[in-house]
Structures are given as C-alpha cells and as structure tokens.
Amino acid sequence: LVLVIAIIGTATAFFAMRMGMVTYWKEEAFLRRVSELMTFLHSQAVVDQAFYSLEFDLKENTYRVGVMRPDSEVASHLKDLQADAGNLTVELAAFLNPSLGRNQTLVPPPAYPSLGQLQNLPENVVIEDIQTRSGKRLGSDGGKVFVLFSPRGFSEFAVIHLRVREENAMTILINPFTGITEI
C-alpha cells in the first residue's frame, strides 16, 4: 500500500511539474511569435508597399495585424506633396501624419488574411505598457495601441513591457531601421 501511494504521489508530482513546463513553453512561444511577427511585418510592408499595423488591444489582451488604408483626404494631400518633394519627404509626411491611425481603415493583409484575425495573449501574459512615438500607454488604461511598419523600410520605434506569470517582466524592443526585435 505504501509503495502504491508513493508511485501515485511521484506520478502526480511529475504531472504537475510537466504542466508548469507546458505553460512556460507556451509563454516563450508567444514571445518568439510576436517578435518574429514584428520582423516579418517590417519586411512585408516593403514587399507589399503598404503601411502595416500591429494593433494591441490592451483592454481585451489581444492583438492583430492589418494594412492601413488612408482616407481620401490624406491620400490626395500626399499626391500633391509628391509632385514637389522627394520620396523621403513623402515618406516622413505619411509616417508623421497625425491622422494616420485615426481616420484610416485597418483591413486584413491581402497576402496573409489570417494575420488579421484577433489573437489572444496567453493566459498568464499581460501587457503592462507600450511606448511608441505617440506616447506611453499603460495596460491598465485599456484602449488600442498601433505599431506601424512603413513601405519604405522603417518601423515605428516601440518598447513593449509584458508581465509573464506575475513575477517575470519581459521587454520587446523593435529597431526602427532594421525591424529586428530584441527580447
């Protein structure tokens, strides 16, 4: 009887330990997936010649990818500007345009429509804050935050602070010139 109880206790301890490892690897896979997604979007924006956006919903703890489609007013302004200025000036005007992200429509990427679906963050992962050029947004404030990827090979500088299992703080940093991320 003691031997059977010892075997059951050992099996239970082993199973509980394995379940913790599964959770750990799910969290690590999420961090790697988001990091690789940002690097991919940096390159894909250049290939598709479109503004890509990674949208984080801090209230719902979700994210999705979309392509920004400008409203007609912004598009006509950039066409007028392009006649008198070079590519870099047009790029900066489009990237720094205050209406970008507000008066634009986020549609699923035509080449990869599955990226447009909402993705939930793992159960134990919470976004504490996101710092972009438009300021710092705390996760407790809720709302949506966009990280933009330009068709000219620039990404928006972003620092994402995450809390994993309440004790591990993680940071994802995106390099705006190369699109390479660092965790």
Side-chain angles (χ1 to χ4, degrees):
L1 184 62
V2 171
L3 184 62
V4 170
I5 291 173
I7 291 172
I8 290 173
T10 304
T12 303
F14 180 75
F15 180 74
M17 191 172 75
R18 292 292 289 171
M19 287 306 292
M21 292 302 289
V22 168
T23 303
Y24 170 79
W25 287 113
K26 282 182 183 178
E27 293 161 355
E28 287 294 314
F30 163 75
L31 291 171
R32 196 172 321 112
R33 186 173 49 245
V34 168
S35 175
E36 290 172 357
L37 177 64
M38 289 182 194
T39 304
F40 171 76
L41 292 176
H42 181 85
S43 301
Q44 195 62 34
V46 174
V47 170
D48 290 345
Q49 285 297 294
F51 278 98
Y52 273 75
S53 176
L54 179 57
E55 174 191 70
F56 290 96
D57 189 336
L58 302 178
K59 183 178 179 184
E60 300 295 325
N61 230 18
T62 60
Y63 68 95
R64 71 180 176 140
V65 173
V67 175
M68 303 299 283
R69 296 287 181 223
D71 64 7
S72 59
E73 181 182 321
V74 173
S76 65
H77 172 68
L78 291 178
K79 267 187 194 175
D80 294 342
L81 183 63
Q82 192 169 12
D84 298 331
N87 284 339
L88 186 57
T89 305
V90 173
E91 176 64 25
L92 287 172
F95 199 76
L96 299 174
N97 188 334
S99 69
L100 189 62
R102 276 189 269 158
N103 298 329
Q104 300 208 7
T105 306
L106 188 67
V107 297
Y112 301 96
S114 62
L115 290 177
Q117 297 174 356
L118 278 178
Q119 301 290 321
N120 292 318
L121 274 62
E123 187 176 308
N124 297 327
V125 177
V126 176
I127 297 176
E128 288 190 333
D129 63 70
I130 299 178
Q131 175 78 40
T132 63
R133 71 174 170 84
S134 57
K136 186 174 188 175
R137 190 68 156 288
L138 298 178
S140 58
D141 294 344
K144 295 182 180 181
V145 178
F146 298 91
V147 179
L148 299 174
F149 301 88
S150 165
R152 303 275 188 231
F154 298 107
S155 300
E156 185 170 21
F157 177 77
V159 178
I160 303 169
H161 292 110
L162 304 158
R163 176 79 45 199
V164 180
R165 280 182 276 135
E166 296 186 19
E167 69 265 358
N168 295 333
M170 297 282 186
T171 300
I172 300 176
L173 173 73
I174 184 167
N175 183 323
F177 300 110
T178 63
I180 297 173
T181 58
E182 191 173 323
I183 299 175

